[in-house]
Amino acid sequence: MDQTAQLVTRAGSHATVLSLDVTDAEAFASVSGALPHLDVCINTVGVIETAALGDMDDDAFSKILDVNVRGLWLSMKNEIRIMRKSGGGTIINIGSNVGSRLTRPGMGAYAASKAAVSSLTKTAALEELPNGIRINCICPGPVDTRLSYRPGEDRITRDTRLSSSNPSRRAAAPAEIAGAAVWLASADAAYIVGQEIVMDGGASI
C-alpha cells in the first residue's frame, strides 16, 4: 500500500493509506464518513485455506466466508452509499475463475466465496445502475503474487506447474489485471454492467 501511495504522489496527486479490518462494520462507517466523494473503487478482498470440505475446520470455513463475502459486501455497501450521494461512480470487485467458472479439489470454501462475489456483483449492478453506479467483477486465474504459490512451492516449481496446467503456460502479471481494471473504470467501458471479466489464460475453457 505504501508503494502505491508513493506512485500516486509521484504522479502529482494525493494519497492516504488507511488500514482496517474488512469485517469490521464500525471501522468502515468511520472511514466512509470521512470520504464525501468516490469515483472509482476496486475491492480486492480475499483469503484462502485449502482442505477437503469433509475435513475443513469450522473456523477456517467461517473465516473464508467472513472475509471474502461479508468483507466485500461491507466494502460495496459503504462505497455505494457515498456514490449515491455524490452522483455515481464505478466499483470493480476482484473475484476468481475458481468459483465462477471452475472448481478445484480442496478449494470448495474459497470457490463458494468467490461465486458469491460474482453473484453480489451482478445483483448490486442491477440495483445501482439507476443511481449512476456501474459495478463489474474481474475474475483472475493465477497471478504472479504469493497467492499463486501452493504450500512448499518456489518460483521454479510454481512456473513448472503452470506451464503444464494453464493454456497460456504462465501466471498473469499484476499489471495485466490492473490494466483491465483501469479500462473497466473508464468511459470506454460505459456499457459494461454486471459482468465477470475472466482473466485466466484460457484455464476455464
Side-chain angles (χ1 to χ4, degrees), residues 17-56:
V17 177
L18 302 172
S19 296
L20 58 87
D21 180 350
V22 296
T23 65
D24 187 340
E26 292 184 3
F28 266 114
S30 64
V31 171
S32 62
L35 296 172
H37 187 273
L38 285 175
D39 295 308
V40 178
C41 290
I42 301 175
N43 296 316
T44 307
V45 178
V47 295
I48 182 170
E49 293 189 41
T50 58
L53 288 172
D55 301 321
M56 176 163 272

Side-chain angles (χ1 to χ4, degrees), residues 80-134:
I80 286 168
R81 289 180 173 180
I82 295 171
M83 289 179 177
R84 283 175 179 172
K85 294 178 181 178
S86 59
T90 301
I91 296 174
I92 300 161
N93 295 322
I94 304 299
S96 174
N97 69 335
V98 174
S100 66
R101 291 293 185 275
L102 53 83
T103 56
R104 299 279 191 222
M107 298 182 70
Y110 180 79
S113 73
K114 289 302 184 178
V117 168
S118 295
S119 182
L120 288 173
T121 297
K122 294 174 183 178
T123 303
L126 285 176
E127 292 172 344
E128 298 305 324
L129 188 60
N131 296 317
I133 303 171
R134 195 165 51 82

Side-chain angles (χ1 to χ4, degrees), residues 58-189:
D58 289 0
D59 290 340
F61 190 88
S62 295
K63 177 183 177 181
I64 290 171
L65 293 184
D66 197 31
V67 174
N68 296 5
V69 182
R70 183 171 178 273
L72 183 129
W73 166 68
L74 283 171
S75 299
M76 278 205 303
K77 175 182 177 179
N78 286 277
E79 293 156 4
I80 286 168
R81 289 180 173 180
I82 295 171
M83 289 179 177
R84 283 175 179 172
K85 294 178 181 178
S86 59
T90 301
I91 296 174
I92 300 161
N93 295 322
I94 304 299
S96 174
N97 69 335
V98 174
S100 66
R101 291 293 185 275
L102 53 83
T103 56
R104 299 279 191 222
M107 298 182 70
Y110 180 79
S113 73
K114 289 302 184 178
V117 168
S118 295
S119 182
L120 288 173
T121 297
K122 294 174 183 178
T123 303
L126 285 176
E127 292 172 344
E128 298 305 324
L129 188 60
N131 296 317
I133 303 171
R134 195 165 51 82
I135 305 175
N136 289 287
C137 183
I138 295 175
C139 296
V143 182
D144 191 15
T145 67
R146 62 181 181 82
L147 287 179
S148 68
Y149 291 83
R150 292 179 179 175
E153 282 188 332
D154 57 18
R155 175 172 288 275
I156 293 176
T157 306
R158 193 273 319 262
D159 289 349
T160 299
R161 171 172 56 81
L162 291 178
S163 71
S164 61
S165 63
N166 187 291
S168 294
R169 303 175 65 83
R170 65 177 179 87
E176 292 176 301
I177 309 302
V182 169
W183 175 73
L184 277 176
S186 74
D188 290 338

Side-chain angles (χ1 to χ4, degrees), residues 1-21:
M1 292 296 294
D2 289 337
Q3 290 178 336
T4 301
Q6 290 173 8
L7 290 172
V8 171
T9 302
R10 289 173 192 163
S13 191
H14 175 72
T16 300
V17 177
L18 302 172
S19 296
L20 58 87
D21 180 350

